[in-house]
Amino acid sequence: MAYTILDTSNLEAYLFSLPQIKSFFNTDALLINEIGDGNLNFVFLVTSADDASKQLILKQAVPYLRCVGESYPLSKERMTYEIRSMERFSELSPHIPKIYHFDEEMSMIIMEYLGEHIIMRKGMIDGVKYPKFAEHISSFLAETLFKTSSLYLSSSEKRELTAQFIGNSELCKLTEDFVFTAPFMEHETNAELPELSDEAERITKDLELKTKILQLKHKFINRCDALIHGDLHTGSIMINEEETYVIDSEFAFVGPMGFDVGALIANLAMSWVSHTVLDETSDYADWILRTIEEVWQKFEKKFLQLWDETKESALFAKGFADTQIRKAYQEEYMLALLRESIGFAGCKIIRRQFGIAGVDDIRGIEDAQKREAANRLAIKIGERFIKEHNILNNINNAMTLIKA
Ligand code: ADP
Ligand code: MG
Ligand code: MG
Ligand code: MG
């Protein structure tokens, strides 16, 4: 169907025009609520008027940035990349909501409603522990990153995959601008934060820091290791004690693996900052630290296990490397991945302090002094991450950079 913006006035008729959706609901009337809370798109919760248990989610991209309005155009084709990546990820991992229907022309996807799950950031702000999170997200990362890389795919499969996402340039540019650039200079899009002006000024002039940021941004622009989610913060995870789902993959492209691992570490670390500042004795803060460590350790183990099971790939021709050679290369590879993950995490932490989009964990702290203390602690950690990422040797070194 030709692109039409869906709203509460035309959504019912549209859904009833799709046979499989019509039969899913098996009713004459639908209840429709717009529940989107993100920056970019519209998300509708649709419920059968006869049977409240029959629900689904419809997400549509509009040709502008939702949080700014029509004055900030952004091509609706970004949804194509969300659809393609969700399809690919769901072949590789169970941690993706079921897709019922999609239409690239309509920039629209219809998917499973995760009614018993909440956005992880909200749960973490409330201090909820998720005992299975590290297990689940490490599997998601290992399966999706390994199996879309040249360590698993053939050379032609890898290039074909890269080509499928090469057009997601507008969203990659958003990341280049808002994660790696504007927050580290004077820029009109940055948040108005006079209480942090000393820090902003210092960072703007820090030669070592800015050189390292350029190195990381260069990796983001030029590397194509694997299909990455591209925006894997705790607001893109829906969770409860039993299950974990990843949503909102419109930033997906074939890029550096460490960007996803780093996004996760950055957002867990910012939650740690917030809980530490609000309550020094909080055992929740300790749970977060253990979780960061566990996510990395489990990820590394699972990634290497998948690697050991793989007989041949674009990189590893049959007979090229014996076990000793493979192990030596693996060790080097995982250390480089850890280092760049921490570097990317540092950029992400700092950008959430100065940049246009903050995180509720910190910007939501009501007490102005505590909020500022959290900003400053986060900046310190982000800075250490960026400056020391390429000399650390294991995850414990990274944990020390948080706690120091
Ligand atoms: P955006 O790209 O605009 O950030 P998201 O995909 O993050 O959109 O969705 C916005 C919000 O809609 C999420 O924060 C979540 O609250 C809700 N949402 C999205 N997908 C689902 C789903 N499958 N089940 C339940 N809620 C969802
Ligand atoms: Mg979102
Ligand atoms: Mg399920
Ligand atoms: Mg999004």
Side-chain angles (χ1 to χ4, degrees), residues 25 36 39-40 92 109 174 197 239 283 310 331 353 370 391:
F25 281 120
N39 293 330
L40 272 69
L92 302 172
I109 187 162
L174 280 184
S197 58
I239 195 162
D283 84 313
T310 304
E331 202 170 306
Q353 311 315 308
K370 289 190 171 164
I391 54 170

Side-chain angles (χ1 to χ4, degrees), residues 72-136:
Y72 196 117
L74 191 67
S75 87
K76 60 186 169 33
E77 282 65 35
R78 62 185 181 270
M79 181 53 74
T80 302
Y81 303 101
E82 180 160 345
I83 293 166
R84 287 183 191 168
S85 58
M86 274 187 82
E87 285 217 293
R88 187 76 176 216
F89 290 153
S90 57
E91 287 164 14
L92 302 172
S93 167
H95 301 288
I96 294 284
K98 276 192 216 72
I99 306 163
Y100 297 133
H101 184 71
F102 62 82
D103 186 329
E104 288 195 4
E105 245 185 283
M106 280 290 283
S107 294
M108 186 277 317
I109 187 162
I110 299 175
M111 70 183 112
E112 175 183 5
Y113 172 53
L114 302 168
E116 289 165 3
H117 308 74
I118 66 162
I119 289 289
M120 187 179 189
R121 189 184 306 289
K122 294 185 182 154
M124 289 193 80
I125 288 172
D126 291 339
V128 183
K129 293 175 186 165
Y130 296 103
K132 297 188 177 165
F133 170 70
E135 184 64 32
H136 291 161

Side-chain angles (χ1 to χ4, degrees), residues 38 233 235-236 248:
H233 54 82
S236 298
D248 199 11

Side-chain angles (χ1 to χ4, degrees), residues 163-200:
Q164 278 173 22
F165 289 87
I166 205 78
N168 203 8
S169 42
E170 270 185 279
L171 291 209
C172 287
K173 178 70 161 62
L174 280 184
T175 302
E176 289 158 23
D177 291 346
F178 292 115
V179 176
F180 295 102
T181 310
F184 304 96
M185 61 189 283
E186 257 185 65
H187 201 275
E188 62 192 16
T189 61
N190 288 337
E192 197 82 48
L193 297 166
E195 70 275 21
L196 297 178
S197 58
D198 57 322
E199 288 287 77

